Amino acid sequence: MTNQQTTMKTDETSRPDVATRRELANAIRILSIDAVQKANSGHPGAPMGMADIMEVLWNDFLKHNPNNPQWPDRDRFVLSNGHGSMMLYALLHLTGYDLSMEEIKNFRQLGSKTPGHPEYGHTPGVETTTGPLGQGLANAVGMATAEMILAAHFNREGHPIVDHYTYVALGDGCMMEGISHEACSLAGTLGLGKLIALYDDNGISIDGEVEGWFTDDTPKRFEAYHWHVIRDVDGHDAEAISNAIEEARSVTDKPTLICCKTVIGWGSPNKQGKEISHGAPLGKDEVELVRKTLGWPWKPFEIPERIYNAWDAREKGAAAETEWEKQFRTYQQKFPELAEEYQRRIAGRLPENWQKVAQEFIEKTHQEAASIPTRKASQNAINAYAPALPELIGGSADLGESNNTVWSGAKNIIPPSPEGNYIHYGVREFAMAAMMNGLALHGGIIPYGGTFLVFSDYARNALRLSALMGIRVIYVLTHDSIGLGEDGPTHQPVEHASSLRLIPNMSVWRPCDAVESAVAWKIAIERKGPTSLLFSRQNLEYQERDDGQLNLIERGGYILLDSDGEPDAIIIATGSEVALATKAARELSDKKIRVVSMPSTDTFDAQDQEYRDQVLPPAVTKRLAIEAGSSDLWYKYIGRDGRVIGIDRFGESAPATVLFEHFGFTVDHLVSETKKILNC
């Protein structure tokens, strides 16, 4: 155990006595029930049941600095059972984060920093957005993986500048969610010794006692995952909790699960141990009874100064960060290049030569004019960009060779050698996505991970949280249409591109060739938010374009083929259908046909009105859109006079060429439909 790991640990002789400890824990309980009662909404049961655990963890073990919530070597704390958010807000308020009592009073109200579930980027000290159960646990696995990777990349003997723990609190609901199985299985395989999970084992969920539907032997399950498991810890006994955390920290080659037996709603005479304390205010009368039971004489939202003083972590946190900075300066003197690289990566800055590297590759791809599958073009982009981006950590959900996410310099991250850059996630799409969220949230890493587009359904809620948090995560989603072919409708995405485009803040790119793929990867790496890259299995023809058009790809939609003067009609296409559009336009040589390639609708929509009107002039109402997927989204671009060639049913099992003809994705059909809108 290193010095900085122990700086936040209070000596045994200076620990508060049991009564004082309980009083400190009761401050969490009372603040939580007061806020829930005032809001007339919320979940008081978990904060009341877990308060004793949190008091020990936050006062004796957690290395953090309320003055600087972004200190890179802080311990991470994740509340996976995010409905217990008031417990976290109480902890942040009491320990000295910028979260005032007024914000506590405004719990769950519009515009407050205390929303119903914790939200990353909204409340100081909140490490991730939680609420959908199990995802916080998977985020924590990602954070611990990031710590392991960065420690391997940067630490040198005697200089452990990356050296912190990830603690995660979770409940029965998190354990029941399938993502817990996916993520925790992989966490054990990765040997994440700095990951400590505190399981609030109270046996209650919304519907009542879980023994009617959750009879797993959870300790055995986690032992089978190669976790260290500490069973039957009294979650209301500070000494037992402290001893368990000490034991967990002593195990360095496995993650640890601490099974804390607790009583939900502890301290409520009439509602503790019952589901009625889970997700509703206790009621005014019961709140008063809790005060009497706990011996808490103070009014709602009133905390005595001595309790504030006992909780205040600002001085201790500042001292810990100062000590780390001192160690980092020594490291900086001995390893100046490593220190500079560490600071760049933690700050999220791209290398100084990034623009040069990216532009040279895009121009090279443009000059080579190769007609290849865009999944292969994606791999080419990774091969070009990754050597300049050591923070780019890849992976795939057991489809690396199909997704083409494995690049020439990929090195597997396999303990006890975690210094690589590629994670084999196994068939765990949901865990992969949620872990990538954790990798990104930790800092110092840009994660990408691949699966088939159709299996984005498995990961969808984690994709949604990527977008909600606005974090840089790159999803490589291949086999993007009926072009998948013989595997049939179970594997052919029809609605998926449109459904991803519906997620606010999710940027979606479906490139038409190798050049657009190279640009899409560049934008995804630069974007401060998540990106879904949709790539083909089949070859896509290289599209001719000049340098001006090459530079316009970044705008999401641009004129790829045009005629003199105002066009008679506009064909809008994306992905594999762009080649059909350009061929159809050339066959309609007696008409003025404009072809617009629109690889990213959200990026195009973000352009200024003048540019959008240049590409899609309002006066030109004869428009047709073509995409091998759901048609509904395209009507906003074509208007009432337009037509869409799309697929609004499930696919079939047959070779791709047969399917494209069967569903009308042919030049002849596109020509015919264009003539119809031109009334000729």
Side-chain angles (χ1 to χ4, degrees), residues 42-56:
H43 299 74
M48 298 176 77
M50 298 188 74
D52 296 305
I53 303 168
M54 293 300 104
E55 188 278 319
V56 173

Side-chain angles (χ1 to χ4, degrees), residues 122-287:
H122 190 71
T123 310
V126 170
E127 299 283 2
T128 181
T129 297
T130 57
L133 294 175
Q135 283 201 65
L137 174 57
N139 294 165
V141 173
M143 292 175 185
T145 303
E147 193 274 346
M148 177 183 72
I149 293 169
L150 292 174
H153 286 190
F154 290 103
N155 287 354
R156 296 296 181 267
E157 187 174 353
H159 298 275
I161 61 161
V162 181
D163 190 12
H164 50 265
Y165 286 89
T166 301
Y167 297 96
V168 55
L170 63 145
D172 290 306
C174 295
M175 288 296 196
M176 284 185 260
E177 286 286 0
I179 193 172
S180 72
H181 298 257
E182 293 183 28
C184 294
S185 170
L186 187 54
T189 300
L190 292 173
L192 301 176
K194 295 282 190 67
L195 174 63
I196 298 175
L198 297 147
Y199 171 30
D200 180 29
D201 184 9
N202 60 39
I204 296 292
S205 68
I206 292 176
D207 282 353
E209 296 181 6
V210 300
E211 63 184 18
W213 48 87
F214 182 51
T215 58
D216 299 15
D217 189 329
T218 297
K220 282 186 178 179
R221 171 185 151 197
F222 275 75
E223 286 168 353
Y225 292 155
H226 308 294
W227 283 55
H228 176 64
V229 177
I230 305 173
R231 300 167 178 251
D232 298 322
V233 175
D234 184 344
H236 301 295
D237 182 329
E239 185 176 1
I241 297 163
S242 181
N243 290 341
I245 297 174
E246 289 275 21
E247 180 182 333
R249 287 162 61 104
S250 72
V251 177
T252 60
D253 61 344
K254 296 179 179 181
T256 295
L257 176 71
I258 303 175
C259 301
C260 300
K261 294 291 184 181
T262 63
V263 177
I264 191 171
W266 191 93
S268 172
N270 298 305
K271 297 187 177 183
Q272 70 177 23
K274 301 175 182 178
E275 66 272 17
I276 54 175
S277 69
H278 172 87
L282 297 180
K284 184 178 179 181
D285 292 343
E286 189 69 13
V287 167

Side-chain angles (χ1 to χ4, degrees), residues 494-614:
V494 172
E495 74 278 20
H496 297 73
S498 289
S499 69
L500 290 172
R501 291 173 181 138
L502 289 173
I503 301 175
N505 199 36
M506 173 63 73
S507 189
V508 180
W509 283 77
R510 186 171 181 249
C512 75
D513 65 2
V515 177
E516 286 189 358
S517 299
V519 173
W521 258 106
K522 175 181 181 289
I523 298 301
I525 288 167
E526 293 175 352
R527 186 170 189 265
K528 303 296 185 183
T531 304
S532 291
L533 302 175
L534 281 47
F535 297 122
S536 73
R537 177 196 188 192
Q538 72 276 23
N539 281 352
L540 299 189
E541 294 180 28
Y542 167 80
Q543 298 298 307
E544 294 183 4
R545 49 177 77 77
D546 59 30
D547 290 343
Q549 291 169 311
L550 185 67
N551 294 329
L552 290 174
I553 295 172
E554 291 195 6
R555 305 192 78 164
Y558 63 103
I559 301 168
L560 180 62
L561 187 66
D562 211 3
S563 57
D564 293 334
E566 186 174 277
D568 298 321
I570 299 174
I571 302 175
I572 307 169
T574 182
S576 51
E577 291 66 66
V578 170
L580 296 176
T582 55
K583 289 176 181 177
R586 291 188 175 102
E587 285 205 15
L588 292 162
S589 58
D590 59 329
K591 303 295 179 183
K592 296 179 180 179
I593 306 298
R594 173 178 291 183
V595 174
V596 171
S597 177
M598 195 176 289
S600 177
T601 58
D602 60 274
T603 305
F604 178 75
D605 291 346
Q607 304 305 308
D608 60 83
Q609 188 68 49
E610 182 181 2
Y611 177 76
R612 285 181 284 141
D613 287 347
Q614 288 174 2

